Amino acid sequence: HIVGKGATRQVEFNDGKTIFKFNYSLQLGNQTRDEIETYYDVKDEWSDCIPKIYDHGLNWSVQEMADNVDTGFVTHTLGVTSKFTLEGLNTTLQTLCTNMSKDIFSYEKLYSFPTYAKAKSYVEYELGRAFYTPALHELIWNKKFRRVMDFAYANGFLWDFRFPNLGVIGDRVVMVDYGYGDKL
């Protein structure tokens, strides 16, 4: 069963506890190899932010399986109480992260504004348009979510930080697709 398919890779269920990820194209380079190299570079510091890789070859890997991020997880585990749809929250998260990766505004400075009003004012002034929502603010200030967002920021993956590239293992958020970063 196919779990997902991206621009150059496919993910399939393996044994109920793991997934099998492989390249079907090298059009964007060997994203699986890049992800495996990143895994070994960061696993000591960031192992809680990425699924374990159990085995791999040049174009494939067997990894710990993660569930999809869903509304229940965002509400109950991450504590987002403001009204949102998962699609809308993902859109605002992606807008925020894409623009931070382009240095339109600062990741560090954003986190110097713990209140919604001040963070909204800062982000929307810098970007020149309204989009920052209470639900987005609650999400990015959640400690569990912030940890994986810090991972993406520190390792050059903010540009592609969005729900389809995130998963859930137990009660933690992990980045399941980090094979193509802006620092490569």
Side-chain angles (χ1 to χ4, degrees):
H1 300 292
I2 296 174
V3 176
K5 187 172 183 178
T8 64
R9 296 193 296 172
Q10 184 166 306
V11 179
E12 298 179 359
F13 283 113
N14 199 25
D15 62 4
K17 297 177 184 173
T18 62
I19 51 98
F20 181 71
K21 189 182 286 190
F22 63 94
N23 293 334
Y24 63 83
S25 168
L26 297 176
Q27 181 179 358
L28 297 174
N30 188 337
Q31 289 183 278
T32 299
R33 181 203 61 221
D34 295 344
E35 187 171 272
I36 292 164
E37 288 174 358
T38 299
Y39 173 81
Y40 286 108
D41 287 345
V42 304
K43 73 179 179 116
D44 291 338
E45 182 178 356
W46 300 101
S47 63
D48 58 317
C49 298
I50 51 179
K52 292 177 188 161
I53 294 179
Y54 295 111
D55 199 5
H56 62 83
L58 182 60
N59 297 311
W60 61 270
S61 66
V62 175
Q63 298 184 11
E64 182 177 19
M65 190 167 80
D67 295 321
N68 292 329
V69 174
D70 62 18
T71 302
F73 181 82
V74 172
T75 301
H76 300 295
T77 306
L78 299 180
V80 174
T81 60
S82 297
K83 187 176 178 180
F84 71 92
T85 65
L86 202 58
E87 183 178 321
L89 187 56
N90 182 56
T91 298
T92 59
L93 175 65
Q94 195 169 2
T95 299
L96 179 77
C97 292
T98 299
N99 285 288
M100 281 190 293
S101 73
K102 294 177 182 177
D103 294 326
I104 292 175
F105 48 88
S106 164
Y107 187 80
E108 292 88 356
K109 191 166 183 180
L110 171 62
Y111 279 108
S112 71
F113 301 112
T115 67
Y116 166 70
K118 288 184 180 183
K120 177 180 176 61
S121 177
Y122 166 66
V123 167
E124 292 181 355
Y125 174 79
E126 295 296 328
L127 191 56
R129 70 181 182 99
F131 79 93
Y132 196 85
T133 66
L136 176 63
H137 187 76
E138 289 178 47
L139 179 71
I140 67 169
W141 277 89
N142 174 277
K143 282 184 0 182
K144 290 177 184 180
F145 195 82
R146 169 90 187 261
R147 173 72 177 156
V148 75
M149 201 163 158
D150 286 347
F151 161 77
Y153 172 69
N155 292 286
F157 300 111
L158 268 184
W159 72 275
D160 204 21
F161 192 77
R162 54 196 172 94
F163 287 150
N165 288 344
L166 301 176
V168 176
I169 298 175
D171 68 345
R172 63 190 169 96
V173 182
V174 295
M175 193 157 187
V176 297
D177 186 355
Y178 53 95
Y180 190 74
D182 57 346
K183 288 187 177 180
L184 297 175

